[in-house]
Amino acid sequence: MDNNMTNDNVSTAAAAPTWRLGIDVGGTNTDAVIIDGNLKLVASTKSPTTEDVMGGIKAAMHEVVTQIGPEATKNIGFAMLGTTHCTNAIVERKRLNKVAAVRIGAPATTAISCMADWPDELKGAMRVRDFLIHGGHEFDGREISELSEAEIREVAAAVRADGFESIAVTSVFSPVSDVHEKRAAALLHEELGEEFPVSLSSEIGTLGFLERENASILNAALYDVAQTTADSFEAALVAEGLGHVSVYLGQNDGTLMSVDYAKRYPIFTIACGPTNSIRGASFLTKKKDAVVVDIGGTTTDVGVLAHGFPRESMIAVEIGDVRTNFRMPDLVSVGLGGGSLVRKHDDGSVTVGPGSVGYQVTSKALCFGGDTLTATDIVVAKGLVEGVGDADLVAGIDSELVEAAYTEISRIIEDAVDAMKTSAGDVTVILVGGGSILAPDYVEGADQVLRPENFGVANAIGSAIAQVSGQIAKVFSLSETPRDQAIAESKQRACSEAIEAGADPATVEVIEVEDIPMAYLGDALCIRVKAVGDLML
């Protein structure tokens, strides 16, 4: 489909506002698309990502709305945003809430202090104070000690006195029993008001106490960022005449969540960009299993499409140099993109990246009249792409340098693909992202390489077509809860989470059930369930 659509190309006869506006913020570009009620692309654009992020979002939104015209704009019923706001806040150590970190685990958890392994500058930016409360449970659900309600109320008094803006509550083995966390939250809301932000670790992470505590504290630190992001996005929609639409934010499992849900769990937006690309790749190719290579202006993210959704990482993931264990996509990121710098060294070797001109590629690359040799110049010089820059401007590049650089580009991509494979056999590789013009048509270890139509905006398409999900991960004692009952309870909770996140109850279904015996915890069984549903019309 031609992305440069005019108003004449767009039908305005939709009976109901079922069209979708999808926006995804990348490090280099902010992409936007509009998809009609038949899931056909009717408008798309790329706009440079701005330092304040929201400027690029507004520019991209305005462009696609202009493409379809004011009459067709009335057909839009949904707006989806995949954003880097929360990631940027942690990396930049800016705009973070002042957090009271409440650990329920005395006297059992005194050996390692809260946030012991955090970077000092991040702790300083969040102005965290930790509180150790008596309570918590053993691995089998037995109480370590009774929850001290008096100590919880003392925490509330300190929060009022010292101006803390949010609270993170983490109890020992709360994935087994969340009773103390929920009681603590009830007491804190009783003291501070129902609207005061309280994060519970059992709703965010899994087994692994310190990593779960870390994730909960980060979530609590992001409340204001999420609030501001959602409010700014909604205001931008109103300014474009889209105040009537239902608004969703992307989460990092390739699905969506309502604005209210996102404000409670902002940490789930982290890494939603790559997962949007993976979902977009699946939609564009109709493939359910593949390795997806998403090449942008600065970096390349490689992930795995498994049964139509991004494969989840099974190991602890660092965010801003902090170890966490909440759900994150399984990704490999490398410093290769359209703006990657190409250098020939004194020993004759040629390197590509990780340095990059990023979004300035259209002004700094040689093929666009600039003075910097980039990866884009290499593929233009080889004659592999049309309509990108001016081939005459790169005609003088030494042919040996071009070949050496292109060989290096291919090697970087092949190594990243190989790192994500789980077996020695060949896999299907899907190329998406504006920078995927760099990738060769043949990739070592791939049985086929697909570069679908509209590959450049696959991330925004993935945001626009996504479903709404709910996930649950809980540890059960089989001596207390039979396996079948535990699975049934987990399925029900996952479906409830999906509905709370904004899914139509009539469409919710369980798509993934995993039960993991935990012999080191006796007769314990960790059950993970994922449910998805369509948007509520």
Side-chain angles (χ1 to χ4, degrees):
M1 176 177 289
D2 183 3
N3 291 342
N4 299 312
M5 304 194 71
T6 66
N7 294 347
D8 293 336
N9 297 119
V10 179
S11 169
T12 61
T18 58
W19 291 17
R20 306 177 181 207
L21 166 66
I23 299 177
D24 187 87
V25 181
T28 302
N29 290 307
T30 296
D31 297 346
V33 300
I34 294 176
I35 292 177
D36 68 14
N38 295 316
L39 299 183
K40 301 295 184 182
L41 184 69
V42 296
S44 67
T45 193
K46 282 181 173 289
S47 180
T49 296
T50 55
E51 185 174 353
D52 66 346
V53 182
M54 193 53 64
I57 291 172
K58 291 178 180 178
M61 182 192 306
H62 180 73
E63 172 59 27
V64 290
V65 168
T66 300
Q67 286 181 29
I68 66 172
E71 286 302 313
T73 299
K74 298 175 183 178
N75 295 330
I76 300 174
F78 305 95
M80 296 80 167
L81 173 65
T83 179
T84 59
H85 278 89
C86 290
T87 305
N88 293 349
I90 294 172
V91 172
E92 297 170 4
R93 301 359 186 180
K94 295 179 180 178
R95 306 177 301 281
L96 299 171
N97 286 85
K98 184 177 181 180
V99 178
V102 178
R103 176 187 289 186
I104 303 175
T109 63
T110 57
I112 301 178
S113 62
C114 178
M115 303 173 71
D117 59 343
W118 285 46
D120 290 338
E121 69 274 14
L122 181 55
K123 285 194 286 187
M126 292 166 53
R127 301 156 291 162
V128 174
R129 177 181 170 188
D130 61 290
F131 300 84
L132 182 58
I133 306 300
H134 283 80
H137 290 82
E138 299 284 3
F139 67 88
D140 58 1
R142 290 178 292 114
E143 280 191 351
I144 294 174
S145 62
E146 184 179 354
L147 176 67
S148 174
E149 296 192 359
E151 291 175 355
I152 294 292
R153 296 188 189 278
E154 290 174 4
V155 170
V159 167
R160 280 194 299 266
D162 297 339
F164 288 98
E165 298 162 325
S166 61
I167 301 173
V169 179
T170 307
S171 180
V172 178
F173 279 108
S174 60
V176 177
S177 175
D178 58 5
V179 172
H180 285 186
E181 285 191 356
K182 287 185 173 180
R183 179 56 183 161
L187 291 170
L188 291 167
H189 284 140
E190 181 181 313
E191 294 286 334
L192 302 170
E194 287 298 323
E195 300 304 315
F196 196 89
V198 178
S199 294
L200 302 184
S201 77
S202 57
E203 297 176 350
I204 295 169
T206 57
L207 285 174
F209 180 73
L210 295 177
E211 291 85 357
R212 175 162 43 85
E213 182 179 60
N214 290 346
S216 304
I217 295 171
L218 287 176
N219 188 74
L222 293 169
Y223 274 119
D224 282 356
V225 174
Q227 180 82 43
T228 301
T229 299
D231 291 348
S232 298
F233 186 48
E234 290 178 326
L237 289 166
V238 170
E240 289 292 343
L242 294 171
H244 62 281
V245 305
S246 299
V247 181
Y248 294 85
L249 269 66
Q251 52 181 336
N252 56 16
D253 65 348
T255 62
L256 301 169
M257 54 185 167
S258 66
V259 168
D260 289 342
Y261 197 84
K263 290 176 181 177
R264 286 173 52 196
Y265 307 110
I267 199 168
F268 289 158
T269 68
I270 293 176
C272 67
T275 58
N276 282 337
S277 294
I278 293 171
R279 286 285 288 148
S282 177
F283 176 79
L284 291 171
T285 61
K286 310 304 179 188
K287 295 290 185 180
K288 298 294 184 182
D289 299 279
V291 173
V292 178
V293 180
D294 178 18
I295 308 178
T298 303
T299 60
T300 293
D301 294 316
V302 182
V304 175
L305 184 64
H307 310 296
F309 286 87
R311 185 174 73 192
E312 186 176 328
S313 176
M314 300 304 293
I315 61 174
V317 176
E318 288 198 357
I319 300 173
D321 299 322
V322 175
R323 282 174 60 86
T324 67
N325 68 351
F326 74 105
R327 67 167 188 256
M328 283 285 284
D330 190 6
L331 297 171
V332 167
S333 295
V334 294
L336 173 67
S340 292
L341 303 178
V342 178
R343 299 184 178 94
K344 184 173 183 179
H345 302 279
D346 293 340
D347 62 358
S349 63
V350 174
T351 58
V352 181
S356 173
V357 298
Y359 69 88
Q360 295 177 306
V361 64
T362 54
S363 61
K364 290 197 170 185
L366 297 180
C367 64
F368 291 107
D371 58 3
T372 305
L373 181 60
T374 69
T376 298
D377 295 316
I378 297 302
V379 294
V380 172
K382 279 184 67 68
L384 298 177
V385 294
E386 297 180 358
V388 177
D390 186 345
D392 291 339
L393 296 177
V394 293
I397 301 177
D398 180 69
S399 59
E400 291 186 2
L401 173 59
V402 170
E403 291 303 320
Y406 190 68
T407 298
E408 178 64 6
I409 290 171
S410 300
R411 183 198 65 78
I412 293 172
I413 293 171
E414 290 174 350
D415 285 353
V417 169
D418 190 57
M420 297 306 293
K421 293 169 61 177
T422 57
S423 63
D426 290 345
V427 296
T428 297
V429 171
I430 305 173
L431 304 174
V432 295
S436 64
I437 58 173
L438 304 179
D441 292 330
Y442 171 77
V443 173
E444 184 72 30
D447 54 15
Q448 60 177 330
V449 177
L450 305 176
R451 201 184 329 250
E453 187 178 12
N454 301 312
F455 62 85
V457 289
N459 52 352
I461 291 173
S463 175
I465 58 89
Q467 294 175 292
V468 183
S469 76
Q471 291 195 52
I472 189 70
K474 184 173 174 58
V475 178
F476 293 86
S477 172
L478 295 182
S479 61
E480 297 181 3
T481 308
R483 178 178 177 276
D484 290 346
Q485 180 183 338
I487 291 176
E489 289 180 8
S490 297
K491 287 181 177 180
Q492 183 177 7
R493 288 185 60 180
C495 291
S496 297
E497 286 287 326
I499 294 168
E500 187 177 359
D504 182 348
T507 66
V508 172
E509 62 177 339
V510 173
I511 64 165
E512 182 179 332
V513 178
E514 184 179 24
D515 56 325
I516 307 169
M518 312 189 79
Y520 62 96
L521 296 182
D523 65 347
L525 186 70
C526 180
I527 298 178
R528 300 158 62 95
V529 178
K530 180 174 182 176
V532 299
D534 296 333
L535 297 173
M536 178 74 77
L537 297 178

